[in-house]
Amino acid sequence: MRTALLQSSGRPGAVVENLKVLDEAAGRAAAAGAGLLVAPELFLTGYAIGDDIARLAEPADGDSADAIAELAARHGLAVAYGYPERSGETVYNSAQLISADGTRLANYRKTHLFGCFEHDHFAPGERPVVQAELGGLTVGLLICYDVEFPENVRAHALAGTDLLLVPTAQMHPFQFVAESMIPVRAFENQMYVAYVNRVGREGEFEFVGLSTLAGPDGVARARAGRGEELVLADTDPVALAASREANPYLRDRRPELYV
């Protein structure tokens, strides 16, 4: 399955404009043969928008979800995107995966919140592994800081995730996460990891880009630079199976020693 990574901060605070950016990117991705488009953390609204987070938060089945389902079906590809999710009076930092026919497949709430900003505006999720079947792969979801905890990614590996989608808002000076940690996570857990970042300055934050799709051999199949960009790479179930057969990490674990 060809996967497109949309490295963009969109238009912070402007949901309608961000839906247009996503629609245009979906058209380009589909024309390039992609079956999946992944957008960054909080792409729908922007990240550093203060109390507008709560004002713009929507339920998982809200108007924007319907709009994204329509564009996914129109372009014929699945879409994963970050957004602030409202559930009653609670707001979560969430990511949703919608299929190429417009079906909502999976919704994940960020479990590990980063810094004062996120703790002030979001409640943490409580479900560590969320998955869906897509294009012959088991696809999982995490968000940004979540992937920096090895336990999270290992939980996905043990649950059979083949492709881990990580919408992110990785900021300076932590670019080593994109450059070094993500390929290692993919290798040690024998999966593909799509890490899709924001770019440029928003408020006090400077996002570093460097979105990447890393393979189970620890090699980046695609890597963006520091500007707005759409990059594509293939995830191959046959290559993944061969890598898992050759790499003994998961088979050689001794869980009884790790408690």
Side-chain angles (χ1 to χ4, degrees):
M1 180 172 61
R2 181 158 291 176
T3 300
L5 316 183
L6 173 59
Q7 180 167 285
S8 171
S9 289
R11 308 293 179 265
V15 171
V16 172
E17 291 303 313
N18 291 331
L19 289 171
K20 291 178 181 177
V21 173
L22 194 63
D23 193 355
E24 188 272 338
R28 287 193 287 142
L36 169 64
L37 171 67
V38 187
E41 181 176 6
L42 295 174
F43 181 78
L44 185 63
T45 59
Y47 184 95
I49 59 172
D51 291 340
D52 280 348
I53 288 283
R55 182 178 65 83
L56 296 175
E58 299 185 25
D61 60 353
D63 290 344
S64 293
D66 288 345
I68 293 170
E70 187 279 329
L71 74 85
R74 177 160 38 84
H75 292 293
L77 84 171
V79 177
Y81 65 99
Y83 74 109
E85 178 194 355
R86 177 170 293 284
S87 178
E89 295 302 311
T90 305
V91 177
Y92 298 96
N93 184 339
S94 296
Q96 184 151 234
L97 174 64
I98 294 178
S99 75
D101 66 5
T103 302
R104 293 172 49 243
L105 295 179
N107 189 70
Y108 170 75
R109 295 166 174 173
K110 189 174 186 177
T111 54
H112 294 69
L113 302 178
F114 178 78
C116 296
F117 177 83
E118 291 190 12
H119 282 279
D120 287 346
H121 289 90
F122 301 105
E126 299 295 336
R127 186 178 173 193
V129 176
V130 173
Q131 298 170 310
E133 298 301 312
L134 183 69
L137 298 169
T138 299
V139 176
L141 292 163
L142 291 177
I143 299 174
C144 196
Y145 195 41
D146 289 327
V147 81
E148 299 178 36
F149 293 80
E151 298 89 348
N152 281 343
V153 188
R154 182 53 51 89
H156 270 277
L158 297 177
T161 293
D162 301 314
L163 170 60
L164 184 62
L165 309 182
V166 189
T168 192
Q170 184 62 65
M171 56 199 68
H172 178 80
F174 305 112
Q175 52 266 29
F176 68 88
V177 174
E179 294 171 336
S180 301
M181 186 181 290
I182 296 306
V184 170
R185 287 284 181 271
F187 179 73
E188 68 189 3
N189 291 289
Q190 287 299 289
M191 62 175 61
Y192 290 94
V193 179
Y195 186 80
V196 188
N197 201 9
R198 305 178 68 83
V199 291
R201 183 168 292 279
E202 289 180 47
E204 63 185 289
F205 306 113
E206 181 185 350
F207 300 112
V208 299
L210 302 175
S211 299
T212 189
L213 195 152
D217 55 1
V219 175
R221 298 297 193 273
R223 187 182 293 283
R226 296 296 187 99
E228 297 211 352
E229 194 171 348
L230 183 72
V231 297
L232 297 98
D234 293 327
T235 53
D236 183 353
V238 175
L240 178 60
S243 181
R244 287 173 170 171
E245 179 63 28
N247 187 309
Y249 275 176
L250 298 179
R251 294 192 301 274
D252 288 349
R253 294 174 65 251
R254 296 185 62 192
E256 72 277 9
L257 300 181
Y258 308 150
V259 295

